[in-house]
Amino acid sequence: MFPQLVLEHPWWLILLIPLTIGIFTRVPSAYLSKAHSYIAPIFLNRKAKIRHTWQRFAFAVPNLAKILVLVFIVAALVDITRGYTVVVGQKTSQRLIVDLDVSSSMYGFGTPLSSITCERNGILFPRIKGACRALYRLLGDVEHETRDEKNPRVFLGLMQFAGNSAVVSYPTSDYARFRKKIDILEFKSHGLGVSTNMHTAMWDMFIVALNRNLEANSGFTRLTGEDVRKIYSALAPGPEELPLYLPKDTALKIKKIKSEMKDTVFIIPTDAVVYFLKDRMSTHPSLRRLMQLAEILEIPVYFLSTDEDYPDLKRLARRTGFGPLGGPYRGDFLMVSKEKNEYLVDELVSRITRSRFGLTVPTYESRRQSYADLAIELALTFLGFGVLWKECVASARSLTDQE
C-alpha cells in the first residue's frame, strides 16, 4: 500500500516556473567563450576531447547542484507530508468500588468501645486493622498511578455494609477527601446493624455502578426503573445449574452496558464467615445470581477474606470479569495471610491495582510525517557540495587554465 502524500503549501510550486525558465535559458559564459571547441570537434585529438569533456562536466556540476538546491528549497516550502495510521495503547479510566464489611464479626462480636474508626482505634482489632490497611494501600496505589495526571482517570468509590449498606463516597478522584472519609469510617456506631447481608450490599454496589445508566442524557445506555425492577426480580434464588435469566428487552440493554462496564471493579474486604454467606446464596437477591450478573456484565469481583475460605464463592468470583479464565482481568476470592496479629493485605491490593492500571485499549491515530526537514538538509548538502566542487575542482581545471 502506497503512502498518502499531501502537499501542505502547494502554492509554493509556482516557484518552479521561473526556476525551469532559468534552467533552460541560462548559458554559462564559459561555454560561450569556448564555443569553438564544440563547433569543431573534428580538429581535436582524442586527448583533447577527453579533456574538454571533463571540463564541461566539471563546470556543469556546480550548476546542477544549484538547481537541486533550489528544487529542495521549493520542496521544503511546499512541505510534502505523508499520512499514516498508528495503533497506540491508551490507558482506560477506572472505577474501583469498595464495599467494606463492618459487621460485628469484624470487631469480635463485642467490645465496650462505642466507636471504632481507622484513624482512632481500629488498630486494636486485627480484622479492622487489615481492612483499613487495604483501603489505605488502595488509595496509595491510585495516588501513585495518577500522580502526573491533571485530571485523574481513576475514581474511587466506598461503601460499607452489615445488616444494611450505605454509600460513604460515590466514585471520586478527590483523593484527599477520600482519605479523610477512610479515617473516620465507622465500624460499630454506623447504624447498619450487626449481621452480614453481603447479598443486599452487593446489589447496592450494582445500583451505584449503574447510576450513570439511570440518568437521562448521560451518554450511557439508558436503564429505566422498570428495567431495574426486572433485573432485581431475576436475582431470585434457583437451581445452581441454571444461568441467570433476564427478559429479552432488558437482556439487550445489559449486553450494551457490558462494554461500558470495562472500567468498573468491585472489591469486598470481609472476614467471609461461611456460615452467614451460605444462607445468602439462597436469599433474594441471591448472592449466586448477583455473581452471575457480574459475570454477564464482565465486572471483576474481588473478595479479600481475612478469615474463611469459601470455594463456591471463589469459583463464582473467578468467572467474573473478562479475558481468559485465570487471567489478570478476572475476579477472585483472595485469602489474606496473617503474621501474628497482622493481616498482610498490601500485596493482594497491589495485585488488583496492577492488573487494572495495566489495562489499555487500542486507539487509532492518524499522523503526518513532514519531509520539509529532509528537503532542507538535502538543499544544504548540495549547496555545500557545489561550493566545494567549484572551489576545489572546477577552478583548478578551468577552461582558461587549460589553454
Side-chain angles (χ1 to χ4, degrees), residues 275-349:
Y275 173 79
F276 295 109
L277 296 186
K278 276 187 176 181
D279 180 63
R280 276 53 176 177
M281 291 287 188
S282 56
T283 307
H284 195 185
S286 166
L287 184 57
R288 185 184 307 279
R289 297 300 184 207
L290 286 161
M291 295 298 291
Q292 290 176 333
L293 179 60
E295 180 182 347
I296 293 173
L297 287 172
E298 296 188 345
I299 299 175
V301 181
Y302 293 93
F303 295 93
L304 298 178
S305 176
T306 57
D307 188 56
E308 296 187 38
D309 192 11
Y310 192 177
D312 195 18
L313 192 54
K314 179 182 294 186
R315 179 182 60 82
L316 292 170
R318 288 180 172 178
R319 293 186 62 86
T320 62
F322 55 92
L325 290 175
Y329 308 128
R330 292 283 182 173
D332 208 345
F333 187 100
L334 304 171
M335 288 298 301
V336 178
S337 60
K338 187 178 181 182
E339 187 175 292
K340 294 183 179 179
N341 221 20
E342 190 83 8
Y343 284 101
L344 307 179
V345 70
D346 301 60
E347 177 54 32
L348 295 182
V349 172

Side-chain angles (χ1 to χ4, degrees), residues 170-393:
Y170 284 96
T172 179
S173 58
D174 186 345
Y175 304 137
R177 187 177 181 186
F178 192 85
R179 184 178 294 277
K180 291 179 180 178
K181 290 193 174 185
I182 296 176
D183 292 340
I184 63 174
L185 187 140
E186 182 60 59
F187 281 83
K188 187 180 181 184
S189 300
H190 41 59
L192 301 176
V194 296
S195 58
T196 311
N197 287 335
M198 187 184 289
H199 60 315
T200 55
M202 193 170 180
W203 169 246
D204 289 339
M205 293 182 80
F206 279 105
I207 295 299
V208 170
L210 293 169
N211 185 61
R212 61 191 182 186
N213 299 92
L214 300 174
E215 299 175 359
N217 303 318
S218 64
F220 294 92
T221 304
R222 181 82 162 90
L223 282 178
T224 65
E226 182 62 26
D227 290 324
V228 175
R229 284 189 288 273
K230 289 179 180 178
I231 295 172
Y232 185 79
S233 297
L235 300 176
E240 295 182 12
E241 65 276 6
L242 292 182
L244 178 67
Y245 171 79
L246 293 170
K248 185 176 181 179
D249 56 339
T250 304
L252 290 175
K253 291 185 178 181
I254 290 295
K255 186 176 181 180
K256 294 179 181 179
I257 293 173
K258 178 177 68 174
S259 62
E260 301 171 354
M261 286 294 169
K262 286 291 191 294
D263 64 346
T264 305
V265 180
F266 288 169
I267 303 174
I268 306 175
T270 177
D271 51 12
V273 179
V274 177
Y275 173 79
F276 295 109
L277 296 186
K278 276 187 176 181
D279 180 63
R280 276 53 176 177
M281 291 287 188
S282 56
T283 307
H284 195 185
S286 166
L287 184 57
R288 185 184 307 279
R289 297 300 184 207
L290 286 161
M291 295 298 291
Q292 290 176 333
L293 179 60
E295 180 182 347
I296 293 173
L297 287 172
E298 296 188 345
I299 299 175
V301 181
Y302 293 93
F303 295 93
L304 298 178
S305 176
T306 57
D307 188 56
E308 296 187 38
D309 192 11
Y310 192 177
D312 195 18
L313 192 54
K314 179 182 294 186
R315 179 182 60 82
L316 292 170
R318 288 180 172 178
R319 293 186 62 86
T320 62
F322 55 92
L325 290 175
Y329 308 128
R330 292 283 182 173
D332 208 345
F333 187 100
L334 304 171
M335 288 298 301
V336 178
S337 60
K338 187 178 181 182
E339 187 175 292
K340 294 183 179 179
N341 221 20
E342 190 83 8
Y343 284 101
L344 307 179
V345 70
D346 301 60
E347 177 54 32
L348 295 182
V349 172
S350 292
R351 169 180 161 184
I352 298 172
T353 56
R354 280 195 301 269
S355 69
R356 298 305 301 184
F357 297 157
L359 182 63
T360 60
V361 293
T363 57
Y364 301 88
E365 295 184 2
S366 295
R367 297 182 182 177
R368 310 210 68 82
Q369 181 182 40
S370 174
Y371 293 106
D373 291 342
L374 176 61
I376 290 294
E377 291 173 1
L378 290 173
L380 293 174
T381 299
F382 281 108
L383 177 61
F385 174 76
V387 171
L388 290 173
W389 182 277
K390 186 174 182 180
E391 293 298 323
C392 300
V393 179

